[in-house]
């Protein structure tokens, strides 16, 4: 049997945050990179699904870049609500004008990664404006036969947890994305972050995998009106493509 193609996913590194946990976010990201480097099956590519910097500051992106480059892998970064598009664009040399949406289509071996920007500058909530959906539609139309993952920061579902749903993507945008993906069966899965927990849901008939932060996690509490961060184990994901089928693993970092 052939070896799977492995896409690693890190998310919500929050460099610069100080939320009172036992480990600082920069050290936690370094530990995640060490864990990936020490893996018996090193990944082939990497995506970081937003909230890289806690305050969108240039020096915070420099820390992220320094750590990611230790992996010596092709990587894709997309923004979360804590990120600043212009600072992130400058730090990683991303194309486009300062405050434009940051999206990317990356050809990673046998896998195509489409990274979406779900952020609203200055707001915590998520959105998928028409321009972003139009970009996705065109990108999917361009490569109908390529196995594809769609990556984004805010997951496009409601959870029933008030604290999380307060920053969810607008339900009309969720529906528009669902209809769009129903026309494109080459999308194998959606992957996201933002919730600082592991979640799995179905979306447009595909799995949606939400991956924990490399830093701190959020408390699972359906009555909780506010995000409560807890020092539960961080994790990364490995999305394994084998013979056209995708199997996603969430690996705690110990
Ligand atoms: Fe986050
Ligand atoms: Fe977030």
């Amino acid at each position: 049997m052939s070896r799977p193609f492995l896409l690693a996913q890190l998310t919500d590194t929050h460099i610069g945050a100080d939320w009172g946990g036992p480990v600082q976010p920069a050290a936690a990201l370094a530990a995640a990179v060490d864990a990936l480097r020490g893996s018996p099956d090193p990944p082939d590519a990497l995506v970081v699904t937003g909230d890289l910097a806690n305050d969108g500051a240039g020096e915070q992106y420099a820390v992220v870049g320094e750590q990611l480059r230790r992996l010596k892998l092709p990587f894709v970064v997309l923004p979360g609500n804590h990120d600043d598009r212009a600072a992130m664009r400058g730090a990683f040399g991303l194309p486009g004008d300062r405050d434009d949406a940051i999206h990317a289509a990356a050809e990673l071996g046998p896998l195509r990664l489409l990274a979406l920007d779900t952020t609203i500058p200055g707001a915590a909530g998520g959105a998928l404006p028409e321009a972003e959906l139009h970009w996705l539609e065109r990108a999917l139309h361009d490569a109908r036969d390529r196995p594809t993952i769609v990556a984004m920061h805010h997951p496009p579902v409601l959870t029933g947890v008030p604290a999380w749903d307060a920053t969810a993507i607008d339900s009309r945008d969720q529906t528009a994305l669902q209809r769009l993906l129903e026309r494109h069966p080459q999308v194998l899965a959606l992957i996201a972050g933002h919730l600082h927990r592991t979640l799995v849901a179905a979306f447009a008939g595909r799995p949606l995998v939400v991956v924990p932060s490399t830093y701190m996690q959020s408390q699972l509490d359906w009555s909780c009106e506010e995000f409560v961060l807890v020092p539960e184990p961080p994790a990364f994901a490995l999305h394994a493509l084998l013979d056209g089928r995708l199997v996603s693993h969430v690996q705690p970092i110990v």
Side-chain angles (χ1 to χ4, degrees), residues 13-15 48-54 61 64 77-78 83 88 92:
T13 54
H14 283 275
I15 300 303
V48 188
T49 46
D51 284 357
L52 280 67
N54 197 54
Y61 293 111
V64 177
V77 291
L78 62 85
D83 289 308
M88 192 168 154
F92 292 101

Side-chain angles (χ1 to χ4, degrees), residues 89-226:
R89 182 167 260 125
F92 292 101
L94 305 175
D97 287 336
R98 284 178 56 82
D99 298 318
D100 287 354
I102 294 177
H103 45 223
E107 308 298 334
L108 305 170
L111 187 65
R112 190 160 193 248
L113 178 74
L114 299 180
L116 285 176
D117 187 335
T118 57
T119 64
I120 305 166
L128 282 166
E130 215 167 293
E132 198 64 11
L133 290 170
H134 184 66
W135 176 85
L136 178 63
E137 175 94 63
R138 265 203 356 236
L140 287 166
H141 185 79
D142 287 348
R144 290 183 170 280
D145 298 326
R146 292 267 291 152
T148 300
I149 286 183
V150 173
M152 56 214 297
H153 181 65
H154 299 81
V157 294
L158 293 176
T159 62
V161 176
W164 302 346
D165 291 346
T167 59
I169 292 175
D170 181 277
S171 63
R172 280 167 304 184
D173 295 359
Q174 292 183 21
T175 303
L177 177 64
Q178 184 176 324
R179 296 213 171 109
L180 191 162
L181 293 181
E182 283 165 356
R183 299 192 288 275
H184 296 283
Q186 79 269 32
V187 176
L188 301 179
L190 295 90
I191 60 176
H194 183 61
L195 297 182
H196 292 235
R197 289 199 71 81
T198 305
L199 269 82
V200 178
F203 188 85
R206 265 53 66 91
L208 161 69
V209 183
V210 182
V211 173
S213 166
T214 56
Y215 178 36
M216 288 177 75
Q217 314 313 322
S218 58
Q219 193 170 46
L220 181 61
D221 179 352
W222 274 269
S223 64
C224 201
E225 299 285 337
E226 287 186 21

